[in-house]
Amino acid sequence: MKRISQDCQSGLPDNCAVKQQQLPAYRLQLSANKILSGFFATGVFCLGVGVILLLSAKTIKEVEINYTEKCANCAKLRENAANFDKECNCSIPFFLPETMKGNVYMYYKLYGFYQNLYRYILSRSNSQLVGTDVKDVRNCAPFKTSHNGIPIAPCGAIANSMFNDTIILSYNLNSSIHIKVPMIRSGITWWTDKYVKFQNPSFQNLSSAFAGTTKPPNWPKPVYELDEEDPGNNGFINDDFIVWMRTAAFPTFKKLYRRLHRIEHFTEGLPAGSYSFNITYNFPVNRFRGEKAVVLSTLTWSGGSSLFLGLAYVVTGAVTWLAFFSMLAVHLRLKERKTFFLQQ
Amino acid sequence: MLPLVAVLTIIAIKDGLEDYRKYKLDKQINNLVTKVYSRKEKKYVDRCWKDVTVGDFIRLSCNEVIPADMVLLFSTDPDGICHIETSGLDGESNLKQRQVVRGYTEQDSEVDPEKFSSRIECESPNNDLNRFRGFLEHSNKERVGLSKENLLLRGCTIRNTEAVMGIVVYAGHETKAMLNNSGPRYKRSNLERRANTDVLCCVLLLVIMCLTGALGHGIWLSRYENIPFFNIPEPDGHVISPVLGGFYMFWTMIILLQVLIPISLYVSIEIVKLGQIYFIQSDVDFYNEKMDSTVQCRALNITEDLGQIQYLFSDKTGTLTENKMVFRRCSVAGFDYCHEENAKRLESYQEAASEDEDSPDTPSGSLSNMAKPRAASCRMVRNGPLGSVSSDHLTGSCFALGSGEGASEVPHSRQAAFSSPMETDVVPDTRLLDKFSQITPQLFTPLDETIPDPPLETLYIIDFFIALAICNTVVVSAPNQPRQKIGLSSLHGMPIKSLEEIKSLFQRLSVRRSSSPSLASGKEPSSGVPNAFVSRLSLFSRMKPASPVEEEMSQTSKSPQGSGNSACPIETEKQDGNVGVTNGKVESLPGQPLASSLCYEAESPDEAALVYAARAYQCTLQSRTPEQVMVDFAALGPLTFQLLHILPFDSVRKRMSVVVRHPISNQVVVYTKGADSVIMELLSAASPDGPGLEKQQTMLREKTQQHLDAYTKRGLRTLCVAKRVMSDTEYAEWLRNHFLAETSIDNREELLLESAMRLENKLTLLGATGIEDRLQEGVPESIEALHKAGIKIWMLTGDKQETAVNIAYACKLLEPDDKLFILNTESKNACEMLMDTILKELQKKNPASPEQASSEALHQPPAAPDSGLRAGLIINGRTLEFALQESLQRQFLELAARCHAVVCCRATPLQKSEVVKLVRSHLRVMTLAIGDGANDVSMIQVADVGIGISGQEGMQAVMASDFAISQFKHLSKLLLVHGHWCYTRLSNMILYFFYKNVAYVNLLFWYQFFCGFSGTSMTDYWVLIFFNLLFTSAPPVIYGVLEKDVSAETLMRLPELYRNGQKSEAYLPLTFWITLLDAFYQSLVCFFVPYYTYQGSDIDIFTFGNPLNTAALFIILLHLVIESKSLTWIHMLVIVGSILSYFFFALVFGAMCVTCNPPSNPYWIMQEHMLDPVFYLVCVLTTCVALLPRFIYRVLQGSLFPSPILRAKHFDRLPAEERTEALKKWKEAGKMDQLTSKYSDHSAVKSERIPISDPSAVFAVMSATSCAVEQGNLSVCETALDSDYSENKASGMAGPSKD
C-alpha cells in the first residue's frame, strides 16, 4: 500500500518557491518619496559633474591653424601627381596670446578624410604588421603588390595613404631668433601598439628584414627609412606610422603628431609669443575637398577641449530637476485629493 | 545564416517530438486487437484494428469498443438487442439499444460467416451519426431494410450484452466517427501572428534603412569629382559609378543591419514557452489527488493564447457535470423530505472517496455497495427497525474476502462504467423512514377485510416508491455478470446454454433455499469475486457436464429469457405466501447483500438514480422482464407486478407510464412519471375517492408545486410521480383502442399519442422528486469568474434541451433573471424570422444603455453589452443546422454575440466544431473549446485553444487537446492566472526584443552617416554577434518566463484583469510603434552622446564603438529592469551575469586578440577605456538620458493614469490585510457602476414583462410559429418575447405558410 501512496504523490509537482513562481520579488514600483529623492539626487549629481567638466575643459588651451588655404601654392603643386618628388615648404606664423602650461601636444587634423570607409579599413595586413610574415598581403587589396608582383610592405590602402607632411614648430623669441621647439616623437602611440601589435620582422638589419618587399606606391621612401633621425623608430614600429594605422572614427579627425619636450624655454609649457609652423607640404587634400590643420593643445583628465560632455551633464541635471519639480507638484496635488477623498 | 539554421533546427526538433508522440498514439490504437473471422482458419482470430476491412465479420464481447461501423447480425440477447454506450461519440452516457437485422433475430445460434451469402448495399460514407440507410439482400432476392438501429458505430462500447457479431460496412477513415473528426489544425498563436506582421514591419524598416544607405552612398560618391584616394577602386582598377556603388551598398547594408530582424526572437519565444509550460505544469493547484494527475500541456506553442480567450465553448457532460445523477430530495404526499444526511454525504463525498481509495485496509471501499464507513454506519442504525440490521456489514465482509485475492479491481472498473457509489448510495431521510416503519404487511394483507383504511399518507408513500422502482425501463444486472459469462463460455464453448443451465439449476436450489432474490444471486456466485456462494457454484459447474437431468431442466432456455427468468420469482413468491411474512423478513438478510450488488442500467441516468433511491428505502427492484417486474418491498416482502403496458418516454408528452396489475390489490394501476408542468395538468379534477380526498389532492397539489419550485430554484431536475387506478373494464376498453392505434397504418403516431393521453389523465399526484445532475466541483464559481473576465461561454451539448438549460442554471451560466431566448424551429424561414424578432428585441434594449454600449463596443462590432441586460440564447441542434447555413450565419452570429450565454443542445460533434469554426473565423475572436469525450474532439481541434478534461470518457479528447486538465475548475486558474501571465510575459518579451534589436542596430545605422554610408561597423564583429546572442539574450528569456505583473492571488480575485489580454492591450500595434520610437530615441542618444563627446578627437573607430556598446548594454538591460514588474534573485543574477560576461569577454578578447579578427582588432581597447574617466562619464550620461523618458513615463503612469493592471499590481505590495480591504473597495466600486446600470435595465425589463394569462395560448402561438418558447421549469425566465409572440401572431402564422 505504500506503493500506492507513493504513486499518488508521483504526479504532484514540487511545491517549492521557484516552481510555484512564489519567489520573493523586488517590485520596481517605488514610492513617491523614493522617486522624488532619486530624481533630486540624480539632478545634483549631473549638475555637479557637468560643472566640474566644464571647468576642467575651460583650463584647456588649444590653437588650431588650418593651413589648407595658407599653403595654396603647395596645394596646387600637389594636385598634379607628376610633381610628387618636388618639395614644397610653407611657413605659417601665428601668435600665442597666453602661455600653454603643462604638456603640450601637437596634432595634425584632417577634414573630410574618410578613414573609416569599409573597404579602406579592411585594406591592411595585421600579420604583416606584427612582423610574423612580411609577405602576407592577403587583405591588402588593391595595394597588395607592385606592378611586377613584389609584395608591398606595409601593404594596403591605409598605409599607402599615410599622412606625410612634416611639421616643425619654431618659437620666434624676436624677429631674428627662431628657436625650433623641441618635440618628442615617442610616446604618442598606445604602448600596446608600439610593443605588441606592431613589430618589425626579427632581423638584425631592418633593410634586410624587408628584403623582397617594396614600398607602397605613394611613399617616397621605404618603410625602414621613415625616420632618418632615430634608427629605432623605423619600420613598422615608426610612431607616425602606428598613429596613422589606428584609423580614425570620423571623417574629421586629429592625430597626435608630436609632444612638447619640456626643456629650456619650454619647461613650463609653450610660453606666449609668436611662433611659426614650417610645413613640408606633401599630403594632397584638395583631391577630396578636404582640409588640413595643425593643432596645439593641452590635455586634462577629462580629455580634450570639448565642452559637450560638461554641457550635456548640466542640461541633463537641469531636466532631471525640472522633472523632479513637476513630479513634486503632481504628487502634492494627488495627495491633496486623496486626503480630501478620505475626509469625505 | 547560423542563427537561422539554429532556429529552424530547434523548431524542427520540437515539432518532430510532438509528431512522434502522435504517431505512437496512432500506432497504439491501430494495434488494438479485435476478433475477426478468418475464412482460412474458419474461426475468429485476433487481428489489429488497422487490418479490419469492410466485409469482415467481427465478434465482440461485453465492454469492448467497436472497431468499425458494422451492421449487427447477432446478439446473445434473446430479443436480438444489443446495448451500446455512445459516450465516445455524443457524450451521452446512457445505454442505447441496437437491433439485430430483421430476419436474423430468430436465429438462436450465431450467424455462421461461412453461410452468410447476402449482399449489403448501403449509402456512401458520411458523417451523419443519426442516419444510416441501406438494405440487405438475401440470396433469394429478398430485401431487408437497414437503419441506424442496426448499425454499431465505431467508438461505442458494447454494454450489458454478452457478445455480438456483425459485419463491417465502414472501416477506418470511412467510419462515421472518423468523418465527424475534422482533423487537427496547425495552431499558430495569435500573438505570434501579430509578431510576424511586426517582423515584416521590421523588414520594411530594414529596407528603408538600406535604401537610405544606398542613396547616401551614391550621393556621397557623386560629391567627389575625382576619386579620393581613400576610396578604394575595384580590384581591376576602375572605379564604380555612384549609382552602381549605391546599388552594391544596398546589399552590404542588408548584411550589416540584418540583426534588425529578430531571428533570435523565434528561438527565444520557443524557449520562453517551454519555460512557461514548465511552470504551468508544476503548479500545485492543478494537481488532482484522485487521478494523480496535473495539467498536461500538449501543445507547446500556444500558451499565450490562454490569456486572450474571448469565447469559451464547453461540453456539458463530464466537463461541467460529473454526469452523475444523484437523488437529492423528494416530496411525498405534500411533505418535503429534504434528505439532509444524504446531502451531507454528498458534500463530504469527494474527500471520503479519495480516502477510501487510499486506505489499504478497506479495499471494499471501491465497491459500489460499500459506502464509506460513515454512510454505512448511519444507514445501519436506520435500517434497524426494518430488520435487515447488518446488511452492509455482510456485504462488506463478503467482498473484503474477495478482494484479498486481488479481484477487487475488476468489479470496480466495471462499476465505473455504470454508476458510482455516489449515485447508488442514498441515505434515507429519517422522517421518511419513520413513516416507513409504520408500514406493515398487515396494512395490505387483509385488504379485502373491512379494517379501517390505512392512513392515506402511508399508502401514498408506498405507491410513490413502487412507482419509482417500476416506472422506468431499467435493466437489472449483477455487476460482474458478463465477465462471468465469458469465463464460463471458455469452459464449455456454448456460453448461452450453459448459463441457462445454471439458471435453471439455481431455480431448483432456490426452491430448496426458498430464497426469493435467487435469480440475482444466481448470477452473483459465478462472479469473479468469491463470496458465500462460490463453493456451491463450483460444485454446479463441476456437476453440470455430467448430469443429463440439467438438460431437461434447461427447457426454459429455449423460450425467451424473460419467461425463463420469471419462472423463478413466481415460484418463490408462492412460497413466501406460504411461509408467511416473517419468512420474507428473514430472507432479506441474506438477500440484501445481493440486492445491493445489483446494477441498474437505465437509458437515462435519472431513472437509475430514482431506482437507487427506492432501493435505499428497501424498495428494491429485483428483476425486470417484458412481462413482469419484481420489487422487494421491505415490509411487504417481494411483490411481483404483472407488467401490462409501458408507454415509453417521449419528448412531446414528457412523461412515461407503466400499467401494471398490483399484486396485492389486484387492480390495474397506471404509474406515471414526468415533467411537473405536464403532470400537473393531467391531475384529476375530481378524485374518484370522494370530495374529501379531492380537497386533499388540491392541497397536496399546491404544496407539491411549492416544493417543486424550491427544487427548481436549487437547480434540481424535477419529476412528478402520479398514479391512476383503473377498473378492469376501463383498462380493457383502453387496451382495445390502444391496440387499434398501434395497428393502424395512417398517422399511427398521432393515434398513439391520443391513446396515451386517454390513459394518462385523472391522475392522482403522489409526489415529486428532485435529482441533481452533480456539477463538478467548483464549476459555478469558475464560470462566474470567467464571465467576469469577459469571456463568453457557450455550452454545446448533445443532451436534451431541458437538461441543458437546467445545468446552465445550476452552473450559473444563466442567471435566474436573465432573459432567455429559445430558438427551436422546424424550418429555416421560421428560424430566420425568430432570430429577426429576437434581434429587434435586443436592439430595442441596447440603446437604452448607450453608455455601456460605448464602453463595451471596443471588442468587436456587434459587441454585447454584457454588464447591462443579460440575455441567454438556447438553440437546439436542428435549428442550429439552419443557423449555420450561410444565409443565416451573420444573423445568428450577431444574435449570439449580443447574448451573454448561449446553450446549444442536441448538437452533433460536427455541429459543435462548425459552431466553433464559425465564431472563430467570422467574429475573429480567440476561442477555447473544452470537453472530455470523443464527441468533443473536432471542436477541440478547431478552436484556437483546445482543452481536454481527462475524465471517465476515455482519452480521445485529451489526445486531441492542447492542454489537458483534470477538472473544469482548473480552467479558471489556467486562464486567469497562467493565461494572463503567459500573454503579458510573451507580448512584453516580444516587444522588448523588437526594441532591443532596433535600438542596437540603429547605432550601426547612425554611424553610416559618418562613414560615407560605406557599411562600416564601429563594433567588433564578434561583439556584434555576441551582443544579441549572449549578453542580452538571457535576461529577456528570464523576463518572459518569470515576469509577474500581478500576483496569482490578485488575478484570481479580480477576473476583470483578464480583459487586458482579451483586448491585446499589452501588444497593440500602437504599442509596437511606440516601442520602436523609444528604441530610435535611445539609439540616437546612445550614439550621439559619445559622438559629440569624441567629435574631433583622435579616437579610432573601434575605440569609439566600445563606449557605445557598453552604454547600449546598460541601456538595454536597465530598460528591462524598468519594464519588469517584479525582480527576483534570478533576474538579478542573470542581469548581473550578462554585464559581467560582457566585460569579461571584452577584457579577455582585448587581451588575447592581437592580430585576429581584421579589421577591428579590439586589442587592449577595453583595458584602455577602463582607465579613462571619460569612458565612465559617457556611459553614465548616455544611460541616464536614454532611459529618462521611459522612466518618467512609467512613474507618471503609475500615479496619474494607472491601468487596472497597475492598480492591481499596487495591491500586491500592500500587506495582506490592507490588500483584502483594497480589493473589497475595488469590487464595490465596480459593483456600483454595474448596479446603477443594472437597476435601470431591471426596471425596463420589469415593465416589459407581461404576465402570461394563459400558458396554453402561448403554447398555441408557439406551435403556430413552430417555435417553442419553453416555460417548463424555467418559469422565472419567461421572456418578453412571449408578448411579442402574441402581438406578432398573425405575422408568425404567415411565416411558415409561405413555404
Side-chain angles (χ1 to χ4, degrees), chain B residues 703-1009:
Chain B
K703 273 190 182 170
T704 311
Q705 188 60 55
Q706 282 170 15
H707 297 154
L708 282 171
D709 291 345
Y711 292 178
T712 323
K713 226 174 248 170
R714 315 186 81 204
L716 300 181
R717 297 148 73 100
T718 53
L719 282 175
C720 276
V721 179
K723 78 159 187 176
R724 178 190 178 188
V725 181
M726 288 175 108
S727 64
D728 282 358
T729 47
E730 264 180 305
Y731 175 67
E733 195 190 329
W734 175 81
L735 194 64
R736 209 173 49 239
N737 283 331
H738 187 72
F739 186 70
L740 276 177
E742 265 188 338
T743 48
S744 78
I745 300 157
D746 297 331
N747 50 22
R748 178 165 165 257
E749 305 278 302
E750 277 174 39
L751 285 174
L752 278 176
L753 185 70
E754 249 174 56
S755 168
M757 292 284 258
R758 268 202 306 283
L759 185 76
E760 295 160 337
N761 58 19
K762 294 184 201 154
L763 298 170
T764 315
L765 185 65
L766 292 173
T769 57
I771 291 174
E772 187 180 20
D773 184 359
R774 268 181 69 91
L775 290 178
Q776 283 193 11
E777 210 188 323
V779 165
E781 292 82 357
S782 299
I783 289 198
E784 216 177 355
L786 294 176
H787 260 314
K788 267 195 203 150
I791 299 174
K792 291 192 170 185
I793 304 176
W794 291 37
M795 189 166 92
L796 309 177
T797 172
D799 226 331
K800 293 197 292 271
Q801 180 176 320
E802 294 83 10
T803 323
V805 173
N806 245 327
I807 292 299
Y809 275 104
C811 65
K812 297 207 173 149
L813 186 57
L814 296 171
E815 296 284 341
D817 44 355
D818 278 358
K819 274 167 68 73
L820 214 61
F821 302 100
I822 293 168
L823 276 176
N824 186 355
T825 61
E826 294 296 319
S827 79
K828 195 179 158 187
N829 279 14
C831 173
E832 188 176 358
M833 212 188 57
L834 189 60
M835 285 204 284
D836 249 354
T837 326
I838 298 174
L839 262 181
K840 268 181 206 147
E841 177 83 16
L842 281 171
Q843 274 161 350
K844 233 193 292 171
K845 289 277 154 54
N846 287 349
S849 50
E851 69 280 351
Q852 279 141 25
S854 60
S855 69
E856 290 294 327
L858 299 162
H859 277 258
Q860 63 249 3
D866 40 0
S867 57
L869 169 74
R870 286 168 55 110
L873 181 73
I874 319 289
I875 184 164
N876 75 353
R878 181 187 274 272
T879 320
L880 194 59
E881 207 171 292
F882 304 132
L884 289 178
Q885 284 169 15
E886 216 156 297
S887 53
L888 292 186
Q889 274 179 4
R890 282 194 63 82
Q891 216 180 351
F892 173 60
L893 283 175
E894 197 181 337
L895 178 60
R898 281 173 188 279
C899 288
H900 152 96
V902 179
V903 176
C904 300
C905 33
R906 288 260 169 246
T908 63
L910 200 66
Q911 271 181 332
K912 285 184 184 183
S913 78
E914 270 172 11
V915 168
V916 176
K917 210 186 288 176
L918 185 74
V919 171
R920 180 172 61 86
S921 54
H922 285 244
L923 291 182
R924 296 187 184 285
V925 290
M926 286 296 285
T927 54
L928 179 145
I930 179 168
D932 70 326
N935 56 332
D936 308 313
V937 166
S938 53
M939 165 169 97
I940 285 172
Q941 284 173 340
V942 162
D944 293 296
V945 179
I947 294 191
I949 291 195
S950 40
Q952 309 112 339
E953 289 188 31
M955 292 297 281
Q956 280 113 313
V958 171
M959 292 306 163
S961 66
D962 304 316
F963 299 90
I965 52 179
S966 46
Q967 274 176 303
F968 186 83
K969 67 168 179 182
H970 292 156
L971 191 63
S972 57
K973 189 174 185 192
L974 187 64
L975 294 186
L976 298 182
V977 178
H978 288 287
H980 174 88
W981 279 349
C982 288
Y983 170 71
T984 354
R985 285 166 178 175
L986 207 65
S987 46
N988 284 336
M989 194 203 75
I990 291 173
L991 283 174
Y992 177 76
F993 248 92
F994 283 123
Y995 150 80
K996 184 173 80 127
N997 282 306
V998 171
Y1000 189 66
V1001 169
N1002 267 338
L1003 296 179
L1004 295 177
F1005 180 64
W1006 303 133
Y1007 188 64
Q1008 300 311 308
F1009 287 88

Side-chain angles (χ1 to χ4, degrees), chain B residues 1112-1126:
Chain B
L1113 183 84
F1114 278 106
I1115 290 171
I1116 284 172
L1117 291 180
L1118 288 177
H1119 182 98
L1120 187 71
V1121 172
I1122 290 177
E1123 286 297 289
S1124 42
K1125 313 289 190 297
S1126 66

